[in-house]
Amino acid sequence: MSDRQFRGIWIPVHIWETSDLTAAERCLWAEIDSFTSNNGNGYYKTNQQASEELGVSQRQVSRAFAKLESMGLITLTKKGVRRVAKSTPWQDVLDSVASNPRHDGEVSSPQWRGIKNKEKNNIKHNKNTLVYAIDGEEMIELWNVWKRERKAFVKGTYTPYAQQKAMNKLQKLCNEDIEQARKIVDQSITNAWKTFYPIREDFAKNRVKLDAEQALKWAAGE
């Protein structure tokens, strides 16, 4: 891959600030971006090679590729038997932003409206692009239950774009644990929430227990 555009060991700001991605997904996108140029051949590495470099499973790598493509952040094509990945063009926007630093000298963050619009359009016209938080029929069934129950207390259309945003959030909260995902979904249904939040009992576990005697002393200024 001699055509690689090496920009240094850093992650571009628009990749770093995409909050819907996990750390591994951002690193993969940054790696793909470094191999992307107008005349470049793109990123050819296999799932196994990417897995070894990122320190994650091949299944996670496969899911990351699908997610990045569904969000319009990369394109995937075939060249013979090889998969070719290229990052969505962004250099012109970044160059414009870099020429307008903040007062403290830090480069300001670009408004990635173009990428977000591409993401919406890609998902809008392809109803099969939803990347599930966990592989398997259990996750698909759980998501169908969530969509059905959510209709009872949330007005409006649950667009594919909004579903993917919610799925990404669920993936982070459940850490690919189907039982944890089920608890999170059940909690949102029970409380008529339109999105997902950490399990309340997890908050209770992490809450510092306040000793009654210590609290009285503190209130008395002792």
Side-chain angles (χ1 to χ4, degrees):
M1 299 184 185
S2 59
D3 55 346
R4 181 178 190 177
Q5 288 187 319
F6 186 69
R7 300 186 179 96
I9 304 174
W10 58 285
I11 297 179
V13 64
H14 72 291
I15 295 177
W16 180 259
E17 293 188 346
T18 304
S19 59
D20 294 337
L21 302 178
T22 65
E25 289 163 351
R26 294 181 199 184
C27 288
L28 177 61
W29 183 16
E31 179 76 350
I32 293 170
D33 184 72
S34 73
F35 282 95
T36 301
S37 68
N38 292 332
N39 299 318
N41 292 323
Y43 180 90
Y44 282 99
K45 294 183 181 180
T46 64
N47 286 355
Q48 181 178 353
Q49 291 172 314
S51 170
E52 293 172 354
E53 292 182 354
L54 297 173
V56 297
S57 68
Q58 291 187 45
R59 186 180 68 174
Q60 288 175 298
V61 170
S62 179
R63 186 182 297 124
F65 271 111
K67 182 175 176 180
L68 292 172
E69 183 186 30
S70 73
M71 293 177 69
L73 305 179
I74 66 170
T75 59
L76 295 177
T77 57
K78 282 284 188 178
K79 188 172 183 180
V81 297
R82 295 192 297 181
R83 173 189 59 203
V84 183
K86 289 189 176 184
S87 179
T88 299
W90 57 272
Q91 188 64 49
D92 292 341
V93 179
L94 186 61
D95 288 342
S96 174
V97 172
S99 65
N100 295 285
R102 297 174 183 166
H103 294 298
D104 59 5
E106 180 184 354
V107 176
S108 58
S109 300
Q111 299 298 319
W112 297 105
R113 189 172 302 279
I115 288 179
K116 290 299 182 183
N117 286 341
K118 181 182 288 290
E119 176 185 347
K120 290 180 180 180
N121 290 334
N122 283 356
I123 297 177
K124 179 179 179 181
H125 296 296
N126 186 352
K127 295 183 179 180
N128 297 318
T129 57
L130 184 64
V131 180
Y132 288 92
I134 303 169
D135 292 333
E137 292 298 322
E138 285 185 286
M139 184 67 242
I140 296 175
E141 182 180 351
L142 178 62
W143 192 254
N144 288 335
V145 170
W146 162 246
K147 288 192 299 180
R148 183 178 66 247
E149 295 299 323
R150 187 178 182 276
K151 285 183 180 180
F153 49 84
V154 179
K155 295 181 179 179
T157 303
Y158 202 17
T159 65
Y161 174 73
Q163 288 188 50
Q164 188 64 68
K165 295 273 287 185
M167 185 71 77
N168 296 345
K169 187 174 184 180
L170 180 61
Q171 181 185 26
K172 288 183 178 181
L173 292 174
C174 75
N175 197 28
E176 299 191 25
D177 183 332
I178 187 64
E179 293 305 321
Q180 186 72 358
R182 188 172 285 109
K183 289 180 181 179
I184 292 170
V185 171
D186 288 345
Q187 175 181 254
S188 292
I189 292 174
T190 300
N191 292 282
W193 293 338
K194 65 179 182 180
T195 188
F196 306 117
Y197 299 98
I199 299 298
R200 283 180 170 176
E201 63 186 39
D202 292 340
F203 280 128
K205 290 178 182 178
N206 295 326
R207 188 178 300 160
V208 177
K209 293 183 179 180
L210 183 62
D211 182 87
E213 185 177 349
Q214 290 179 338
L216 291 173
K217 288 182 179 180
W218 177 82
E222 298 181 12

